[in-house]
Amino acid sequence: MSKIDIKNSAPMRALAKAKVKYPDFFKAVDRIYKDPDAKWDKSICYCPIGLGVTNAVDLADLDAPSLSERGEISRTGATLAVLASWRKAKSIYTLDEDLEAELFKTSSKDMTVAPGMLTIPEWCIYVETRLLQGCSGLFIMFDHDIQRGRKELYISPVTPEGKILTSFYLILPKQPQRLTEILKGEEADFRAKDISNAPELAPYVSNYFKVSRHAVRFTINLLLYLSAINTEVRQANKLSFRRQGRIKDTPREVAVYSVGEATGYRIRRINRYVREHGEPQGGHHRSPVMHVRRAHWHTFAYGPSKSLRRVKWLPPIIVNGDGEEMDIPTITELSDK
């Protein structure tokens, strides 16, 4: 992986701008989090989006904000909450390009989302991804919406300059539910509100949900990969200090993780083989002829009476007619010297 300019990375730029414009917010969040009377679920969320929005509303001090002003207040509040959560661990995840492409392909399939199925390594992570045009990556965190009494997966796109755009969310189900059903329900709930019929929003609503579906599906597959039993994550930089005491928000506090280097290499071998020899025909895992088995998830039962489940991500492989994985030789070019 290429070396990251941490100081000028999108998350650090966003944090630097927010600290200049809202210097007191982050210290206030640290105090509120320690308050035993704070009402949100602290097991999943360091700073709920609602706390950031409340602060933004107070700062705006508008009696009757317009629709555009309300949107700006919401974006400001979300930005503050996301950054307050990310700065606690300051991690940047960089994905191998071919692994990223496979995760995007896998995300087109529907799946059942169950309580506790999704996990995030820290309060909030930043993932470099080319998923959305004009964005360098995504902030990903869990949010506890106290007002609506629900927990959400919260996804915030970021531009290279550090501007956080309109965010996406997925309501986390209280019982197993198909992802397609959750997404359709969220869109139906929004369209049932009067605000969805505002003329100035009409051009954006349909596109928002279209992009949202892609972002949510990709993020779910990424989180499943990061929590899979065979995940491949390597810290790419060595922190020059121990994470304790006062946070200074400097580049030396940022941990960079490389995701899927060896897996990406394996995917490239498969792709190169297919380009050179043509794709074996057959097309499914029970085919009697040699074929490419596409990347997919496999669920394993474990624990007492095999009652618990965990996932393993299986990358693309070429299998022989008997169902065994085909060993593709690697050809090394030798010098004449």
Side-chain angles (χ1 to χ4, degrees), residues 26-72:
F26 300 106
K27 291 181 180 179
V29 171
D30 292 339
R31 291 195 302 270
I32 296 172
Y33 178 81
K34 296 176 183 178
D35 186 347
D37 293 329
K39 301 299 183 181
W40 72 86
D41 186 348
K42 296 179 182 178
S43 68
I44 67 164
C45 179
Y46 185 79
C47 178
I49 301 299
L51 182 59
V53 173
T54 298
N55 182 80
V57 169
D58 292 341
L59 291 174
D61 194 24
L62 298 174
D63 292 332
S66 64
L67 186 61
S68 61
E69 289 172 333
R70 289 162 60 186
E72 186 59 34

Side-chain angles (χ1 to χ4, degrees), residues 296-307:
H296 60 283
W297 295 103
H298 190 80
T299 303
F300 293 84
Y302 73 104
S305 303
K306 302 291 185 179
S307 59

Side-chain angles (χ1 to χ4, degrees), residues 73-315:
I73 290 172
S74 295
R75 279 189 292 273
T76 298
T79 295
L80 292 174
V82 165
L83 292 173
S85 302
W86 180 78
R87 70 188 288 265
K88 299 303 292 183
K90 293 189 184 69
S91 59
I92 296 176
Y93 287 74
T94 63
L95 308 180
D96 177 273
E97 291 184 3
D98 291 278
L99 171 62
E100 180 182 2
E102 286 297 328
L103 288 175
F104 183 75
K105 292 176 185 176
T106 308
S107 68
S108 64
K109 302 175 182 177
D110 196 14
M111 65 174 66
T112 298
V113 180
M117 171 181 166
L118 302 176
T119 60
I120 300 178
E122 291 134 10
W123 293 118
C124 177
I125 63 175
Y126 175 77
V127 179
E128 287 194 339
T129 173
R130 301 167 299 165
L131 177 69
L132 300 178
Q133 186 176 0
C135 295
S136 63
L138 304 171
F139 282 113
I140 303 171
M141 61 175 276
F142 289 130
D143 180 39
H144 186 188
D145 188 333
I146 302 175
Q147 185 177 4
R148 295 180 176 87
R150 66 193 191 193
K151 299 174 184 178
E152 301 170 347
L153 173 65
Y154 205 80
I155 306 162
S156 298
V158 192
T159 69
E161 296 75 29
K163 181 181 180 180
I164 297 181
L165 305 180
T166 301
S167 299
F168 312 110
Y169 66 91
L170 176 77
I171 300 173
L172 299 176
K174 296 181 180 180
Q175 57 186 11
Q177 189 176 0
R178 302 296 291 179
L179 177 57
T180 301
E181 296 175 359
I182 300 175
L183 295 173
K184 287 182 178 178
E186 290 179 355
E187 183 172 356
D189 288 345
F190 178 81
R191 291 187 181 278
K193 300 176 181 177
D194 292 338
I195 190 174
S196 68
N197 298 317
E200 56 266 51
L201 285 183
Y204 305 102
V205 171
S206 294
N207 185 61
Y208 169 83
F209 283 105
K210 179 181 178 180
V211 177
S212 174
R213 286 192 291 270
H214 286 297
V216 167
R217 289 178 180 276
F218 173 80
T219 300
I220 287 178
N221 275 268
L222 172 62
L223 294 182
L224 286 176
Y225 179 83
L226 292 178
S227 62
I229 59 175
N230 63 330
T231 187
E232 183 200 348
V233 180
R234 175 183 66 85
Q235 186 165 341
N237 68 331
K238 184 177 181 180
L239 299 182
S240 57
F241 79 110
R242 296 182 63 186
R243 280 184 171 172
Q244 58 184 10
R246 182 168 170 262
I247 297 176
K248 298 181 180 180
D249 294 324
T250 64
R252 358 184 355 243
E253 298 173 343
V254 179
V256 178
Y257 295 95
S258 174
V259 181
E261 288 183 31
T263 303
Y265 171 72
R266 182 178 181 182
I267 293 171
R268 284 187 287 278
R269 287 179 61 197
I270 294 288
N271 292 339
R272 184 169 60 248
Y273 182 91
V274 170
R275 285 195 303 270
E276 295 175 354
H277 302 279
E279 181 168 351
Q281 299 301 307
H284 58 83
H285 69 288
R286 293 182 179 177
S287 174
V289 298
M290 185 172 68
H291 62 281
V292 175
R293 182 176 296 161
R294 297 301 178 188
H296 60 283
W297 295 103
H298 190 80
T299 303
F300 293 84
Y302 73 104
S305 303
K306 302 291 185 179
S307 59
L308 303 177
R309 298 290 183 272
R310 57 188 174 191
V311 297
K312 184 175 183 180
W313 190 78
L314 302 180

